[in-house]
Amino acid sequence: MPKQDKPAPDKHNEAPAHAHAKSADEVLQDFGVDPKNGLSRREAEQQLERYGPNKLRQARTRSAWWIFLDQFKSMVIIVLVIAGCIAFTFQHWAEGLAIAAVLLVNAGIGFFTEYKAIRSMEALRAMGGDTIRIRREGEEQELEVEFLVGGDIVIFEGGDLVPADIRLIESNNVRVNESALTGESLPVRKTVEAVEADAALAERTCMLYKGTTLTEGSGEGLVAGTGMHTELGRISALAETAEEESTPLQKRLDQLGRRLAWITLIVAAVVALVGLLAGQDPGRMIETAIALGVAAIPEGLPIVATLALARGMHLMARRSALINKLPAVETLGATKIIFTDKTGTLTENQMTLHRVNTFAGDFELDETSGTVQGEGGTENQLLRRILEVGVLCSNASLQDLDKDDIPDEEQGDPTETALLRSGLMFDLDRSRLLREKPEEKEIPFDPEEMMMATYHRSSQGLEIAVKGAPSRVLKACTHFVRDFDGNESSLDEEQRRQWNEQAEHLAEEGLRVLALADKTARSLEEEPYSELRFLGLIGLFDPPRQDVRQAIAECQSAGIRVVMVTGDQPATAAAIARQTGLVQNRQPRVLHGRELKDPADMIPEERQRIQETDVFARVSPEQKLNLVKLFQEERQTVAMTGDGVNDAPALKKADIGVAMGRRGTDAARQVADMVLQNDAFASIVAAVRQGRIIFSNIRKSVMFMLCTNVAEVMAVAAASAAGGFSHFPLPLLPLQILYLNVITDVFPAIALGMGEGEPNMMQREPRPQSEPVLTRGHWSAVAGWAVLLAGSVLGSLAIALYVLDFEPLQAVTVSFLTLGFSKLWFVYNLRNPDTSFFENDIIKNPYILGSIGLCSLLLLAAVFVPGLSDVLKTRIPDWSGWLLLLGMSLLPFVLGQLILMGRKRYAGK
């Protein structure tokens, strides 16, 4: 016993890394603690002062102010801010106010959408328990977990949340749910025996880790690590250091913004210089240069991108996917690889009895349909006896059965609850069965024996029901049931060997295999594990979700690789990979966590092997993070799904992190970009499609705005050059340019952003990560379309001046309206060349027609509404002017449709 008031040795930081490799007595000696007395009050106070409370560092919640500021981080937004500042500097108040209005509208939409999503995320976070029973100074007491310190003796029982990293010193059938920390789908049995120093986290059977839950049993342990010195704290720190990636859309829009910034400067300078050299008025040319600089930037782009993303966010919420940040919606559309968890994402997260093998014959059970394949079905007496033994030999229970025998709540080990549910198919309710055959004695599961037994009094005498590991149960059996009539035969060594092989085959199929046996005893003192009658093997599994196979097939047809990353056993993971169609017509390539190195230490062949692997099993949090980094280094857009604390670092590092809403931990949800409230993989596929649609729509909107904006620049630049020789007026006045860009451009662009997408969206390969919003082909198309539009504008101006003999302001009004209406008809030129005019997503988009009608009214208002026409300096054309502008505005549309028809015909050859 240590001397009172002597501080525990300074092992606090070392213990979590080494306690599992030392015996319980060695760890107690390291801390200088007597388990019968625990720490003294003074020792605990000194430890608390030295190491602080047993708390993790809290992640900072994004404040409303920072959410608002984040809306201004795009390069396009920065360029607009600069343009607005220049406009105000030169006292062009109308232009400056118009730009400011665009910025505020965009920021408002983005802010309120993200703010609502983040507050919804916070509402998902759950609070845990906050007290635990400990022993200090020889007395048991309740203590807030915040004040636990290294060296405390903790007393626990089933249902407790583990408050710190604890080295077991006493274990009574302790089983722990570690899925949030390790990914292990089934509760893990814990003992006091030390393990190897290099044992994986999931294999440290003498340790309890903070954040996990005791499912059954009781015991005592020594606190070996608290707060940030726990495994949970280490993962939390890893998540803090993981760099959050910008989304592909953010990167592409910033790239476009930088390009537009240079274009703006060059255009403004060149037009001003050309105009001055041509003899234009210097003041007028500086004013025009500013307006053209603004015209070169698609002011509506931020609003269009934000609204398209916000709409995608809304549509995904209706599909039970909660988006944290707007650009995350589009990121899934660019995803090349999805790292997915197994339990609960690909599977139902509910163990189910699937196979029963006996000497007389085999059976397959389908719990969903309630059917049994095999001789006699639910009337087979041997199968019924096997299920009866499984129901009797159990500590689990089903609560609040309804009229269809569907439980409202399940308590106990998932394997045992699966047997209870299967028993209901045979009308074997445990509570009713125990009234007929009351339990007289239980021999709990023993890790050494690897079996469990219960004694029951029945009309035939005293029955013993046994279940356990096949090899151990078979060793304890002397005879078996050889047919469905209950006839028995002796069990020899060759038969034992064959049944052990059969058990191994079932395990290779991903099943959890148990053997069941029984016997009649004379007294409660009779040895339960001798002279047993072997009944058969049962195989249980966590079945794949019904919609997963189709969802994975859809991903694969879309060029997206789905890779399983799990903490479960390799055999189980490989079986689920086959059953879900993750691999087809071959065995999955599986890599165990112990085979994974740090990417920095890998040779090219090893990196290639990793990229070809289908399943990663028994992986640690660092290894998940390294996998994400490795694939990102190969320029692949990576999505990662996860639910546990162990997934948090990788979720944060991935291009998009997807957390589970039902079974996900707070740590996973905090760093995720998207939370699946139904935990369904199919929701990810829906998000991929929506992301692709969003990018396609944004690309169309950018094309629309740039084609029309560049047309403005070309028309004004050409007129500026010609004006020096023939007094040719500018076809557009500065405020007319802004009116077109800010008013009439935005609505068609927004309508394009609301498109439903082409039907074959998920039959295309993902975009390369390096592909910009506009490729060289798109920029060439921008130039070509802009020439057509600019030509029609200049042509209408020249005809109005020299043929119809309009006065200058009236002629400029004709060219202004020509461009305005040209933009509206031009929207239909942006359809996919592979489609026909009447069968494409633009013609089917009802918002397009609405935007054309609205903008037509706005263009007419620019001419007919007093005050507005004065500001814009427009004049009402006569009937010949209206015919001219209508014909010239339709010219780019007609030529564009002929070009698209020609491209489709050429491509079909």
Side-chain angles (χ1 to χ4, degrees):
M1 176 178 175
K3 293 180 181 179
Q4 293 296 316
D5 299 335
K6 177 184 177 183
D10 191 6
K11 300 287 183 179
H12 192 94
N13 290 326
E14 298 175 16
H18 303 291
H20 62 277
K22 298 179 180 181
S23 69
D25 289 338
E26 287 177 313
V27 177
L28 287 166
Q29 186 177 357
D30 284 346
F31 276 87
V33 177
D34 181 348
K36 295 180 180 179
N37 293 284
L39 296 175
S40 69
R41 179 178 178 180
R42 183 175 176 184
E43 286 175 325
E45 288 174 351
Q46 289 176 335
Q47 286 280 48
L48 187 62
E49 184 178 352
R50 183 178 303 172
Y51 298 110
N54 178 33
K55 295 194 301 184
L56 300 180
R57 284 195 293 268
Q58 293 294 315
R60 291 184 179 179
T61 303
R62 291 170 71 205
S63 68
W65 176 246
W66 281 111
I67 296 171
F68 182 75
L69 287 181
D70 280 344
Q71 310 308 315
F72 294 90
K73 289 185 176 179
S74 163
M75 181 59 72
V76 174
I77 292 291
I78 293 171
V79 172
L80 280 175
V81 170
I82 295 171
C85 291
I86 293 173
F88 282 124
T89 300
F90 285 91
Q91 298 183 352
H92 291 276
W93 309 114
E95 292 92 330
L97 289 172
I99 294 170
V102 170
L103 293 171
L104 289 174
V105 169
N106 173 73
I109 294 169
F111 169 78
F112 286 109
T113 308
E114 283 197 26
Y115 184 81
K116 181 180 177 182
I118 288 174
R119 295 301 170 258
S120 298
M121 291 281 188
E122 291 172 356
L124 288 172
R125 295 171 187 165
M127 298 296 292
D130 59 357
T131 63
I132 193 68
R133 198 152 51 104
I134 67 164
R135 184 180 297 120
R136 285 184 183 173
E137 296 185 334
E139 296 182 357
E140 292 186 12
Q141 56 184 279
E142 289 285 328
L143 181 76
E144 291 187 26
V145 297
E146 180 179 341
F147 301 112
L148 273 179
V149 297
D152 265 328
I153 301 299
V154 175
I155 305 158
F156 47 81
E157 60 186 11
D160 286 347
L161 184 69
V162 179
D165 283 2
I166 296 172
R167 174 60 165 90
L168 281 173
I169 58 177
E170 179 186 322
S171 175
N172 303 310
N173 196 32
V174 173
R175 302 188 76 171
V176 180
N177 181 350
E178 295 185 329
S179 59
L181 189 67
T182 66
E184 176 66 60
S185 57
L186 294 173
V188 179
R189 187 149 318 259
K190 296 291 184 175
T191 65
V192 298
E193 284 75 25
V195 297
E196 295 294 327
D198 60 352
L201 194 65
E203 295 166 359
R204 297 177 189 176
T205 53
C206 59
M207 296 290 298
L208 305 182
Y209 289 107
K210 182 178 176 68
T212 60
T213 307
L214 270 76
T215 57
E216 63 179 276
S218 61
E220 296 184 5
L222 177 138
V223 175
T226 61
M228 294 300 292
H229 299 293
T230 60
E231 285 294 330
L232 189 61
R234 192 169 63 84
I235 295 169
S236 176
L238 196 64
E240 289 176 4
T241 58
E243 297 177 3
E244 192 166 4
E245 290 291 304
S246 295
T247 68
L249 182 61
Q250 286 173 321
K251 295 174 183 176
R252 291 182 177 98
L253 288 179
D254 283 348
Q255 183 184 29
L256 177 62
R258 285 190 292 271
R259 181 171 292 184
L260 289 176
W262 283 108
I263 290 174
T264 301
L265 291 173
I266 294 170
V267 164
V270 169
V271 170
L273 182 61
V274 169
L276 291 172
L277 291 175
Q280 297 278 14
D281 177 61
R284 180 67 175 276
M285 288 317 303
I286 292 174
E287 181 181 304
T288 303
I290 294 172
L292 281 178
V294 174
I297 305 168
E299 287 88 349
L301 176 58
I303 294 176
V304 170
T306 301
L307 283 176
L309 293 170
R311 181 170 184 267
M313 201 171 184
H314 172 70
L315 292 175
M316 290 313 303
R318 289 166 57 183
R319 291 176 174 265
S320 299
L322 186 63
I323 307 298
N324 191 5
K325 294 181 180 179
L326 283 181
V329 184
E330 183 274 338
T331 305
L332 270 171
T335 297
K336 182 72 174 176
I337 184 166
I338 299 176
F339 287 123
T340 178
D341 190 19
K342 175 184 73 69
T343 306
T345 306
L346 299 180
T347 66
E348 295 284 1
N349 195 25
Q350 184 178 59
M351 291 297 287
T352 304
L353 179 60
H354 178 58
R355 294 278 293 277
V356 178
N357 288 11
T358 71
F359 270 94
D362 300 337
F363 302 88
E364 284 194 10
L365 286 77
D366 186 339
E367 185 179 314
T368 304
S369 63
T371 58
V372 178
Q373 293 183 13
E375 186 176 335
T378 56
E379 301 301 320
N380 187 288
Q381 293 305 304
L382 175 56
L383 179 59
R384 183 180 178 83
R385 176 56 184 167
I386 290 172
L387 267 296
E388 183 177 298
V389 168
V391 170
L392 289 171
C393 190
S394 174
N395 286 313
S397 64
L398 304 178
Q399 305 294 320
D400 302 325
L401 296 178
D402 63 16
K403 59 183 178 66
D404 296 317
D405 284 337
I406 298 174
D408 183 60
E409 182 182 353
E410 300 180 2
Q411 294 181 349
D413 181 86
T415 300
E416 293 186 343
T417 57
L419 287 172
L420 297 191
R421 291 196 313 275
S422 297
L424 295 175
M425 295 169 59
F426 295 77
D427 198 29
L428 294 171
D429 176 57
R430 177 172 165 78
S431 58
R432 291 197 297 266
L433 198 56
L434 287 176
R435 286 195 292 270
E436 298 171 10
K437 299 182 177 184
E439 184 178 307
E440 304 252 332
K441 181 181 178 181
E442 176 187 327
I443 307 297
F445 182 90
D446 185 341
E448 295 295 328
E449 296 285 353
M450 298 183 71
M451 290 182 287
M452 173 187 177
T454 53
Y455 294 66
H456 299 268
R457 186 69 62 185
S458 71
S459 57
Q460 281 76 39
L462 190 63
E463 298 179 12
I464 299 180
V466 176
K467 75 172 187 292
S471 61
R472 299 299 181 90
V473 173
L474 283 163
K475 187 176 181 181
C477 292
T478 56
H479 52 295
F480 64 92
V481 180
R482 72 169 184 267
D483 56 37
F484 294 139
D485 295 326
N487 296 310
E488 302 175 4
S489 296
S490 297
L491 186 67
D492 59 33
E493 286 302 319
E494 176 60 22
Q495 290 169 325
R496 286 193 183 90
R497 185 190 65 78
Q498 290 175 355
W499 278 92
N500 277 316
E501 286 183 357
Q502 191 169 151
E504 290 175 3
H505 291 320
L506 290 173
E508 288 173 359
E509 293 177 19
L511 300 177
R512 179 174 173 80
V513 186
L514 295 174
L516 284 87
D518 65 358
K519 77 173 186 177
T520 303
R522 290 180 291 276
S523 71
L524 292 173
E525 284 68 41
E526 186 169 328
E527 165 61 39
Y529 304 134
S530 65
E531 298 183 351
L532 291 172
R533 180 179 70 161
F534 179 69
L535 298 174
L537 299 176
I538 61 172
L540 304 99
F541 77 144
D542 181 9
R545 285 176 173 265
Q546 292 184 352
D547 55 358
V548 159
R549 191 176 187 91
Q550 180 181 347
I552 288 178
E554 197 170 350
C555 279
Q556 291 168 341
S557 69
I560 301 169
R561 276 193 69 208
V562 180
V563 176
M564 190 190 303
V565 181
T566 178
D568 218 332
Q569 297 287 353
T572 304
I576 294 297
R578 292 190 295 270
Q579 293 163 12
T580 57
L582 196 142
V583 295
Q584 297 177 352
N585 303 320
R586 63 175 175 83
Q587 289 297 314
R589 292 182 284 265
V590 182
L591 205 60
H592 195 286
R594 61 172 171 263
E595 301 177 67
L596 285 172
K597 299 180 183 177
D598 189 296
D601 300 328
M602 291 181 188
I603 60 176
E605 290 76 11
E606 290 173 327
R607 294 176 73 94
Q608 184 63 32
R609 181 190 176 198
I610 297 257
Q611 293 177 60
E612 294 173 352
T613 298
D614 304 303
V615 176
F616 296 92
R618 289 297 200 195
V619 292
S620 69
E622 293 96 332
Q623 289 169 332
K624 288 186 178 183
L625 182 60
N626 286 337
L627 283 173
V628 173
K629 289 180 180 176
L630 187 147
F631 279 84
Q632 285 177 337
E633 288 170 2
E634 299 298 325
R635 302 187 67 78
Q636 297 197 43
T637 303
V638 178
M640 165 69 79
T641 76
D643 61 347
V645 176
N646 59 328
D647 298 316
L651 287 173
K652 184 177 179 182
K653 176 64 178 172
D655 294 294
I656 181 164
V658 183
M660 303 299 123
R662 288 181 179 174
R663 59 190 171 82
T665 59
D666 184 42
R669 289 194 293 261
Q670 279 187 20
V671 300
D673 300 293
M674 182 168 81
V675 174
L676 299 181
Q677 293 176 302
N678 58 0
D679 291 6
F681 187 83
S683 295
I684 301 176
V685 180
V688 169
R689 186 177 189 280
Q690 192 62 45
R692 292 189 173 190
I693 290 171
I694 286 169
F695 186 82
S696 175
N697 290 344
I698 290 175
R699 175 173 275 173
K700 287 188 179 81
S701 297
V702 172
M703 280 286 292
F704 169 77
M705 288 184 284
L706 282 183
C707 287
T708 55
N709 288 16
V710 172
E712 294 169 357
V713 173
M714 287 183 174
V716 173
S720 298
F725 304 99
S726 60
H727 301 289
F728 197 71
L730 296 178
L732 300 164
L733 301 180
L735 279 179
Q736 291 175 354
I737 293 174
L738 279 172
Y739 186 82
L740 290 174
N741 287 6
V742 177
I743 303 298
T744 59
D745 271 14
V746 170
F747 294 107
I750 290 174
L752 285 168
M754 305 285 275
E756 296 295 331
E758 301 289 351
N760 65 343
M761 194 64 70
M762 290 298 284
Q763 276 74 55
R764 304 173 187 173
E765 287 289 316
R767 301 183 308 277
Q769 194 178 63
S770 59
E771 183 176 301
V773 175
L774 299 182
T775 63
R776 288 185 178 179
H778 291 112
W779 282 106
S780 299
V782 166
W785 292 124
V787 168
L788 275 178
L789 290 166
S792 69
V793 171
L794 291 172
S796 66
L797 178 62
I799 294 171
L801 278 173
Y802 302 119
V803 177
L804 301 180
D805 200 24
F806 282 11
E807 54 93 10
L809 283 180
Q810 195 176 30
V812 169
T813 300
V814 169
S815 58
F816 161 68
L817 292 174
T818 298
L819 180 58
F821 283 106
S822 293
K823 289 183 177 189
L824 302 184
W825 320 138
F826 174 71
V827 170
Y828 293 105
N829 288 356
L830 295 173
R831 64 179 172 87
N832 192 317
D834 298 333
T835 62
S836 68
F837 180 76
F838 295 104
E839 286 293 329
N840 61 79
D841 65 328
I842 294 178
I843 201 74
K844 292 179 179 179
N845 185 346
Y847 299 103
I848 293 291
L849 197 58
S851 70
I852 290 175
L854 176 61
C855 290
S856 296
L857 292 176
L858 290 171
L859 286 172
L860 294 175
V863 178
F864 290 104
V865 174
L868 180 59
S869 62
D870 295 333
V871 171
L872 295 176
K873 297 180 181 178
T874 57
R875 300 292 183 268
I876 300 175
D878 61 20
W879 64 270
S880 60
W882 286 110
L883 288 176
L884 171 63
L885 69 91
L886 182 61
M888 294 302 289
S889 68
L890 284 170
L891 183 62
F893 164 75
V894 174
L895 291 175
Q897 292 302 315
L898 292 173
I899 292 169
L900 290 172
M901 290 170 59
R903 286 180 61 183
K904 182 180 180 181
R905 184 172 297 179
Y906 179 78
K909 291 182 179 180

